[in-house]
Amino acid sequence: MRILVVGNGAREDALSWRLAQSPSCSAIFAAPGNAGTASRGENWDCPATNGKKLAHLCVDNNIDLVVLGPETAIAAGVADQLRERGIVTFGPSRSSGRLESSKIFSKKFMERHGVPTANAVVMHTLETALKALEAWPGGCVVKADGLAAGKGVVVTEDALTARAVVTDWYANNRVPGGGTGVLLEEKLAGREVSMFALCDGRAMLPFAAACDYKRAGDGDTGPNTGGMGAYSPPSELPKDMFDQVREKILAPVLRGLLAEGETYVGVLYCGLMWTERGPQVIEFNVRFGDPETQVLMPLMSGDFAQLLKSCADGAIDASVARLSQQSCVGVVLASDGYPKTSTPLAGLPATFELEENSQAFWGGSVLRDGKVDVNGGRVLTVAATGPTVPSARASAYDAVRKIAEQLDKAGASLTHRTDIAKDIP
Ligand code: AMP
Ligand code: GLY
């Protein structure tokens, strides 16, 4: 198969890395891709959201399978445009993508179909929001309706702080992602886990779980980020977690999608809070997670490309690939000041000398004359496998040290959290 990965982050580098190693993959392409994807295939100069141009390029290049990475491509209707041209695509339609692109649509969908989720109310004006907060019990999570690149959710401990957030958003006319829709949501307590299900339009198969670290600083302090690290599997969660998720969440979601005429093809990322009441959905994403994908791909064995192709063809074949029994830990290396500022860096080494069980995935970056330029932000994810989470963790941080030394020689430095997967059994 000739395979195109759409996107340019470390998630797409990890997908491309694993797809390229699949027995059924003969050539790998990326659009627009990054320094990592450029090292193993061809990068196309085409934005992830330009479905028309992507369809054209796919036809010209005899692409057999397209794997969509970012939510922006899905929300732009790229899957619809590709399928219209008969191109086999792993990724949901724009319509199904509303499960992520509109938090209000997603919440109402869950309520219609009995999916366990945090209680929430929908707001469109400051006045009604302030009224709802008058008698709010406990913590409140304020969520903007639209896609806001991780900036649309504020978790508060009390209604007073939530009032300040909605006042700022409405009074200054800057609800993140635009529009006026805001959800006020009950704050749930528990263990957060990302659960990934593959869907071929007719069935949903839970296939992986991982935990990520959203805050910038050690001990979960500092601002929210795109994710600073992850590990898999979450060994501290119940042994039957996949069964519980299949029965309590995936079954009603699938029934709901079918009842509403949605043919969901791709991965459904269930952002869950594992509470005393069991798993509750805090969000759906309609794509692979970042940085979760960077710790799942090193664990994948078999023909991952064939697994995604079978999904995209409408008949998932789970026997062709599976996750190994190993563990994986990933640490994100970011430029100084992330997430407040992006610091561009130039002339970074394109590859790093690492142990066999370790791998570095590039975030947004460009390969130029054998060196790498980045705009800053999340620059690399360093992932390592091992028989247990603690051993994978030791290897991951060992790799982080090695990379820091090699970056130092190039006059560059990156920051990272030091407590990813700490105290996880
Ligand atoms: P999101 O952008 O939807 O992924 O939300 C960002 C983060 O906010 C999540 O990863 C959770 O840590 C937190 N969060 C969202 N909803 C809730 C909730 N209902 N209760 C507690 N925490 C939440
Ligand atoms: N890991 C969070 C996300 O991909 O949205």
Side-chain angles (χ1 to χ4, degrees):
M1 280 193 279
R2 294 163 65 79
I3 304 174
L4 170 70
V5 175
V6 174
N8 73 339
R11 165 184 52 207
E12 286 77 18
D13 190 14
L15 288 169
S16 141
W17 174 77
R18 178 49 76 203
L19 288 166
Q21 293 172 58
S22 301
S24 66
C25 177
S26 58
I28 191 94
F29 302 82
N34 63 24
T37 62
S39 71
R40 71 183 72 89
E42 201 177 295
N43 279 357
W44 294 346
D45 182 15
C46 177
T49 49
N50 189 340
K52 199 166 166 209
K53 186 168 174 189
L54 285 173
H56 193 77
L57 285 165
C58 286
V59 170
D60 279 357
N61 286 278
N62 296 316
I63 294 298
D64 300 295
L65 173 68
V66 179
V67 178
L68 297 183
E71 62 276 19
T72 48
I74 293 158
V78 170
D80 309 74
Q81 284 168 294
L82 294 175
R83 287 197 189 99
E84 263 166 37
R85 297 286 300 268
I87 300 155
V88 178
T89 303
F90 181 86
S93 65
R94 185 212 301 257
S95 172
S96 301
R98 287 176 299 168
L99 284 176
E100 174 167 1
S101 63
S102 166
K103 292 207 191 297
I104 294 176
F105 173 86
S106 180
K107 183 64 69 178
K108 287 185 171 163
F109 177 89
M110 288 188 258
E111 288 172 353
R112 277 199 296 281
H113 300 291
V115 180
T117 183
N119 293 318
V121 283
V122 178
M123 300 296 141
H124 283 285
T125 64
L126 176 59
E127 210 182 357
T128 49
L130 292 179
K131 186 126 192 62
L133 286 168
E134 268 170 21
W136 195 272
C140 177
V141 185
V142 187
K143 298 188 172 182
D145 181 44
L147 289 180
K151 295 182 178 69
V153 176
V154 185
V155 182
T156 72
E157 298 304 322
D158 53 62
L160 200 66
T161 321
R163 283 173 73 92
V165 174
V166 291
T167 304
D168 174 47
W169 285 4
Y170 279 119
N172 298 312
N173 205 7
R174 55 166 189 213
V175 176
T180 59
V182 170
L183 277 179
L184 299 177
E185 189 167 296
E186 159 201 24
K187 182 173 179 247
L188 297 172
R191 188 92 188 90
E192 208 175 320
V193 58
S194 310
M195 188 74 70
F196 298 90
L198 293 175
C199 192
D200 65 2
R202 298 178 303 174
M204 270 192 178
L205 186 85
F207 91 111
C211 287
D212 80 344
Y213 291 73
K214 288 235 169 73
R215 300 296 196 93
D218 281 2
D220 288 330
T221 55
N224 245 329
T225 71
M228 296 303 292
Y231 64 90
S232 178
S235 43
E236 71 281 18
L237 285 177
K239 290 262 171 298
D240 68 343
M241 64 178 174
F242 282 129
D243 292 335
Q244 287 199 48
V245 168
R246 187 187 281 118
E247 179 195 329
K248 293 177 185 165
I249 293 162
L250 299 179
V253 167
L254 184 61
R255 269 200 306 275
L257 287 168
L258 293 174
E260 297 189 13
E262 295 288 348
T263 306
Y264 192 102
V265 174
V267 63
L268 181 71
Y269 163 152
C270 308
L272 305 177
M273 192 69 88
W274 211 280
T275 70
E276 285 175 353
R277 290 178 274 163
Q280 303 269 323
V281 177
I282 52 180
E283 63 164 346
F284 285 126
N285 295 314
V286 297
R287 47 160 179 91
F288 286 102
D290 186 337
E292 291 94 326
T293 305
Q294 294 92 297
V295 299
L296 296 180
M297 291 304 110
L299 297 175
M300 189 57 75
S301 64
D303 199 329
F304 182 59
Q306 195 54 46
L307 179 66
L308 299 193
K309 172 74 160 50
S310 72
C311 248
D313 281 338
I316 188 169
D317 181 356
S319 70
V320 294
R322 64 170 56 84
L323 286 183
S324 76
Q325 296 297 311
Q326 294 232 313
S327 298
C328 189
V329 172
V331 180
V332 170
L333 306 186
S335 62
D336 279 335
Y338 176 75
K340 287 207 179 75
T341 52
S342 286
T343 315
L345 296 164
L348 305 182
T351 52
F352 300 97
E353 275 180 45
L354 301 174
E355 301 293 326
E356 189 122 314
N357 67 344
S358 305
Q359 186 67 31
F361 299 112
W362 285 102
S365 52
V366 183
L367 186 63
R368 201 170 279 135
D369 302 328
K371 296 282 182 197
V372 177
D373 297 345
V374 299
N375 283 331
R378 294 188 294 167
V379 174
L380 286 160
T381 309
V382 184
T385 54
T388 62
V389 170
S391 67
R393 175 174 198 272
S395 294
Y397 277 106
D398 191 43
V400 168
R401 266 188 300 279
K402 290 200 173 97
I403 288 176
E405 282 165 17
Q406 292 166 58
L407 286 173
D408 192 45
K409 284 194 193 126
S413 76
L414 297 170
T415 62
H416 63 272
R417 273 182 68 158
T418 65
D419 63 348
I420 304 301
K422 193 174 174 211
D423 300 327
I424 301 298

